[in-house]
């Protein structure tokens, strides 16, 4: 099972930047796709972006060109660089990962506990 721990959230002014990190730990064979989701009060959780193990990325249209996802497979860590932040980016950001416990096991999914990002002047 993979435990995911996010860090890097906080309060930032509009136009500012933040970098979120998420590291996986525990007993597993492989962490495959990793991603970031966010949930603002009164809304459904939505995909921000994802990154495959080979580095291929996918972004929500609302963040494309402003946010960048990257990963360090050796550290089991995924990053979310957020630039040009807007008040509407305010949300709890959650890390997500697909993993295998053994080479022949099916994929399981794990969530982090979330980190608050607030964009306000």
């Amino acid at each position: 099972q993979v435990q995911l721990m996010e860090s890097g959230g906080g309060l930032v002014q509009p136009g500012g930047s933040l970098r979120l990190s998420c590291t996986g730990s525990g007993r597993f064979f492989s962490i495959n796709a990793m991603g970031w989701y966010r949930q603002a009060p009164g809304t459904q959780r939505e995909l921000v972006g994802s990154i495959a193990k080979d580095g291929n990325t996918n972004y929500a249209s609302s963040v494309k060109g402003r946010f960048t996802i990257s990963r360090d497979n050796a550290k089991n860590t995924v990053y979310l660089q957020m630039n040009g932040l807007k008040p509407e980016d305010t949300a709890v950001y959650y890390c997500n990962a697909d993993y295998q416990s053994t080479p022949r096991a099916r994929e399981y999914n794990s969530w982090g506990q979330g980190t608050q990002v607030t964009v306000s002047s």
Side-chain angles (χ1 to χ4, degrees):
Q1 182 174 342
V2 169
Q3 291 82 44
L4 300 173
M5 180 64 71
E6 302 104 334
S7 62
L11 172 65
V12 64
Q13 292 186 341
S17 298
L18 278 177
R19 188 192 196 209
L20 306 183
S21 300
C22 171
T23 298
S25 62
R27 295 173 63 95
F28 56 89
F29 166 71
S30 174
I31 294 179
N32 299 327
M34 303 184 80
W36 290 95
Y37 289 71
R38 67 186 182 187
Q39 187 169 19
T43 69
Q44 289 189 331
R45 193 172 296 187
E46 64 175 3
L47 175 69
V48 175
S50 63
I51 183 166
K53 197 168 185 178
D54 63 4
N56 284 332
T57 56
N58 176 55
Y59 296 96
S61 58
S62 58
V63 306
K64 198 172 292 185
R66 299 188 297 124
F67 291 10
T68 302
I69 293 178
S70 60
R71 65 189 287 172
D72 184 334
N73 291 331
K75 296 181 179 180
N76 299 312
T77 299
V78 62
Y79 305 96
L80 180 65
Q81 177 66 44
M82 303 184 291
N83 299 327
L85 282 159
K86 306 175 181 180
E88 51 263 43
D89 294 317
T90 296
V92 177
Y93 283 69
Y94 296 91
C95 178
N96 181 271
D98 294 327
Y99 69 95
Q100 290 171 272
S101 56
T102 65
R104 295 183 179 181
R106 71 172 181 89
E107 275 191 340
Y108 292 87
N109 187 261
S110 182
W111 289 93
Q113 293 189 324
T115 183
Q116 177 70 45
V117 172
T118 303
V119 184
S120 175
S121 55

